[in-house]
Amino acid sequence: MAFTDTRPGDKEETFILRATKIGLVVTLYWFVSISMVFLNNDLLDNKDLDAPVFITFFQCVVSVGLCLLMNFLANFCPGYVDFPTLKFDLRVSREMLPLTIVFISMITFNNLCLKHVGVAFYTVGRSLSTVFNVLLSYTVLKQSTSLYAVLCCGVILGGFWLGVDQESVAGSLSWTGVIFGVVASLCVSLNAIYTKKVLPVVDGNIWKLSFYNNLNASVLFIPLMVILGEFKSLFEFERLTDLHFWGMMTLGGVFGFAIGYVTGLQIKFTSPLTHNVSGTAKSCAQTVLAVVYWASDKSLLWWTSNMMVLGGSCAYTWVKGLEMKKEQVPVDAQITNTEKTKDDPGV
């Protein structure tokens, strides 16, 4: 029998160490996510360059390049860098196309929404993802939703309409941005559904999925830019040779790549439920920062709309977490009873 030193100091140190790690991971997630939104807003708000699809395209190209770099480092330094082996397969790329089309729509409409509504209203502008999750789960996956979850969606919808009303009263409403936000929310929900469908194609590996998704998107964005005439805007851009501009563009791509990593890291160190709560709190902080940074004057009802959206989203996450626990308990009890039956010689 081995003896273990269980002094209170060691347990306290272990707890402090874990709490510190969680704090650092959550801080990193907040920093990357908020920085990416503000950086994209700065790039998209450029009056001299009206090419939102090109900006999105370039970030996808950077993500592909970083995936290939990580693949090289993993082969060059095995044991220090953990990354899946990437080898292009046309069959996999073709099977990924439905997801890529949804992915392109999602990131394009996200950026267009951000371009037209700004950071402060961005959270409310694309807040209907949860509502679309419930609708698509019922219509596509034939999954019912509890009354409490539907009530949470009602709060989110109420906050959304109140936010739109208050932006209209303030004279800063962009209906184009609102429509882009609604479509982006729908695409976020569709992206989650299609991701689950195609994950087996890439052996369940998120990094392989990211590589093929961004690679396909980089190719498909080119004809879209031609149709929208963005190459003309790009060639007429006076800062086309400005290193600062390309540095900011590259940094945006790095943040886009990093958000996938820090999201997985936060879920790993906490839980999916805690990650969703952290994301909601991050959105709240992001809104406050945007209002303070641009010195905006917002009414009490405007802030109420944000709190309704964030509160409804947080409550929905909590309700779904409780429902998942309730579903898991009967299964665990059934397994336990089965094991007891097998171990009981009298049966």
Side-chain angles (χ1 to χ4, degrees):
M1 182 178 180
F3 291 93
T4 309
D5 188 358
T6 56
R7 288 175 296 179
D10 289 342
K11 286 186 177 180
E12 185 180 353
E13 184 181 359
T14 304
F15 171 76
I16 292 173
L17 183 62
R18 176 164 175 76
T20 303
K21 285 181 178 179
I22 291 173
L24 289 172
V25 167
V26 172
T27 303
L28 181 63
Y29 169 77
W30 279 41
F31 171 76
V32 171
S33 183
I34 292 176
S35 298
M36 184 178 69
V37 172
F38 273 85
L39 181 58
N40 279 341
N41 181 75
D42 183 62
L43 290 168
L44 292 162
D45 201 36
N46 194 325
K47 304 299 181 185
D48 299 324
L49 179 63
D50 186 20
V53 175
F54 170 74
I55 292 171
T56 311
F57 157 78
F58 187 82
Q59 291 178 351
C60 289
V61 172
V62 171
S63 293
V64 172
L66 288 171
C67 282
L68 293 173
L69 176 62
M70 294 300 293
N71 178 60
F72 170 77
L73 292 175
N75 292 327
F76 189 71
C77 310
Y80 293 97
V81 179
D82 183 22
F83 201 81
T85 301
L86 298 178
K87 186 178 179 182
F88 180 74
D89 187 330
L90 185 60
R91 179 191 61 83
V92 174
S93 178
R94 190 170 55 248
E95 291 186 26
M96 287 281 294
L97 274 177
L99 173 63
T100 301
I101 292 169
V102 174
F103 173 72
I104 287 173
S105 304
M106 179 184 73
I107 57 178
T108 301
F109 285 115
N110 264 336
N111 281 346
L112 288 171
C113 174
L114 183 59
K115 177 181 173 68
H116 285 86
V117 304
V119 179
F121 190 64
Y122 182 61
T123 299
V124 174
R126 52 174 301 276
S127 61
L128 300 183
S129 299
T130 302
V131 177
F132 281 120
N133 278 341
V134 172
L135 290 174
L136 291 174
S137 294
Y138 181 75
T139 56
V140 178
L141 303 178
K142 307 302 179 185
Q143 295 176 353
S144 59
T145 305
S146 68
L147 175 62
Y148 290 115
V150 171
L151 289 174
C152 293
C153 290
V155 173
I156 295 170
L157 273 171
F160 173 79
W161 284 115
L162 180 60
V164 169
D165 175 71
Q166 289 305 297
E167 284 287 302
S168 178
V169 169
S172 56
L173 178 66
S174 167
W175 277 109
T176 304
V178 171
I179 292 169
F180 284 146
V182 172
V183 178
S185 300
L186 173 61
C187 292
V188 167
S189 301
L190 286 171
N191 187 70
I193 292 173
Y194 277 97
T195 297
K196 288 180 181 178
K197 285 187 176 181
V198 303
L199 262 176
V201 178
V202 289
D203 305 319
N205 191 286
I206 293 296
W207 288 118
K208 284 185 178 180
L209 181 130
S210 176
F211 170 71
Y212 278 102
N213 229 357
N214 282 285
L215 183 62
N216 284 348
S218 299
V219 175
L220 293 176
F221 268 130
I222 295 173
L224 189 59
M225 288 187 291
V226 173
I227 293 169
L228 295 174
E230 291 199 355
F231 282 113
K232 183 177 182 292
S233 300
L234 185 65
F235 291 137
E236 293 175 352
F237 183 47
E238 293 180 357
R239 293 173 54 202
L240 190 60
T241 57
D242 187 357
L243 291 178
H244 178 264
F245 167 73
W246 289 109
M248 296 295 282
M249 289 279 286
T250 304
L251 187 59
V254 171
F255 278 129
F257 176 80
I259 192 67
Y261 175 74
V262 295
T263 297
L265 203 63
Q266 180 168 248
I267 293 172
K268 177 183 176 182
F269 275 86
T270 57
S271 68
L273 179 64
T274 307
H275 165 68
N276 287 333
V277 173
S278 173
T280 303
K282 186 273 303 179
S283 297
C284 182
Q286 181 177 285
T287 302
V288 173
L289 281 172
V291 171
V292 172
Y293 181 77
W294 280 288
S296 305
D297 185 21
K298 301 297 183 183
S299 67
L300 178 61
L301 284 176
W302 187 91
W303 285 108
T304 303
S305 71
N306 277 267
M307 291 303 104
M308 286 176 69
V309 165
L310 295 170
S313 301
C314 197
Y316 177 84
T317 300
W318 180 66
V319 167
K320 294 303 287 185
L322 288 178
E323 289 176 359
M324 288 174 67
K325 284 183 180 178
K326 285 180 181 178
E327 288 174 3
Q328 192 174 358
V329 169
V331 175
D332 292 342
Q334 186 177 357
I335 293 172
T336 305
N337 290 334
T338 304
E339 289 176 350
K340 284 182 179 179
T341 304
K342 287 180 180 178
D343 294 339
D344 189 355
V347 177

